[in-house]
Amino acid sequence: MTMTTVRGEQAEQASSGRSVGVEKITKVYPGGRRALDGVELAVEPGTFVVLLGPSGCGKTTLLRCIAGLERISAGAMLIGGDDMTHREPGDRSVAMVFQNYALYPTKTVLENIEYPLRMAKVSRQARRQRAREMAELLRLGPVMNSRPAQLSGGQRQRVGIGRALVREPDVLLMDEPLSNIDAELRGELRAEI
């Protein structure tokens, strides 16, 4: 497994995030397949970090471990200096944008975007307002009442991005979030993110 981290510059206004510390994380799947082996990573608040590596080297697995969607076999996961190794995903203030969309097929665009706010018990009026603002930012206004099956791949990906960003999480993880979006919008979304 070969994975490289590339540190980007600090975001100009992003200081509200929290640090992420990955300390000698190992992930072994049933059957003995080792996906991660002693991975270490330190990310300061407000910093963009890119993971580069060939398919199958563990990039997505590492993101899923940070988000709490995969249990680690050994090591420790810290967010803001707090040990999150055994905490549930909802207790981490982490949002993840998945490469494969991961949208609720029976919910509309607006309902998909507002869902994390609903789980956080934000009032209906406040969550609808924030979800509408996010949909407009992502140019999803005309399809707000559509279901995922009615959307293009790029639109579905924007819904996934909106769902993650609407929460204003401390840590935002993205697994190839712009891969299904046209070049012009990709540049704009990169700047917005």
Side-chain angles (χ1 to χ4, degrees):
M1 170 179 66
T2 304
M3 183 179 354
T4 305
T5 57
V6 178
R7 292 195 182 278
E9 296 180 15
Q10 281 214 295
E12 292 175 19
Q13 298 176 5
S15 60
S16 62
R18 295 170 68 196
S19 63
V20 175
V22 173
E23 299 179 350
K24 298 185 180 185
I25 285 188
T26 298
K27 172 64 180 176
V28 180
Y29 286 104
R33 189 173 68 83
R34 197 172 281 269
L36 301 173
D37 191 10
V39 175
E40 294 201 10
L41 178 68
V43 181
E44 294 301 316
T47 303
F48 291 99
V49 174
V50 177
L51 301 174
L52 300 173
S55 181
C57 75
K59 301 179 302 289
T60 297
T61 301
L62 177 59
L63 294 178
R64 291 179 59 83
C65 287
I66 293 169
L69 301 174
E70 294 276 352
R71 295 284 181 207
I72 63 175
S73 305
M77 169 62 52
L78 305 173
I79 297 178
D82 298 326
D83 188 350
M84 300 286 174
T85 306
H86 302 291
R87 290 211 195 153
E88 293 299 316
D91 297 333
R92 296 182 183 215
S93 190
V94 172
M96 186 163 172
V97 177
F98 299 90
Q99 182 179 2
N100 65 350
Y101 319 126
L103 303 178
Y104 297 103
T106 60
K107 295 186 182 307
T108 65
V109 166
L110 189 64
E111 291 166 340
N112 264 283
I113 292 174
E114 76 172 351
Y115 189 75
L117 301 176
R118 183 176 175 198
M119 294 293 92
K121 302 201 183 328
V122 173
S123 74
R124 180 178 169 84
Q125 182 179 356
R127 72 178 185 246
R128 280 281 154 129
Q129 178 63 32
R130 283 171 57 186
R132 280 191 178 97
E133 290 169 0
M134 185 60 63
E136 292 298 331
L137 174 72
L138 295 169
R139 297 185 186 169
L140 292 167
V143 295
M144 263 194 272
N145 295 316
S146 300
R147 302 211 187 286
Q150 300 168 304
L151 305 175
S152 69
Q155 289 170 323
R156 289 180 196 166
Q157 193 68 323
R158 284 183 276 156
V159 174
I161 291 169
R163 187 177 58 198
L165 292 176
V166 77
R167 287 183 49 197
E168 299 177 357
D170 290 335
V171 177
L172 180 61
L173 305 172
M174 299 182 162
D175 190 0
E176 298 190 38
L178 305 177
S179 60
N180 297 315
I181 297 175
D182 65 75
E184 179 185 342
L185 186 56
R186 188 179 309 139
E188 292 177 25
L189 287 178
R190 212 177 268 131
E192 288 296 336
I193 290 167

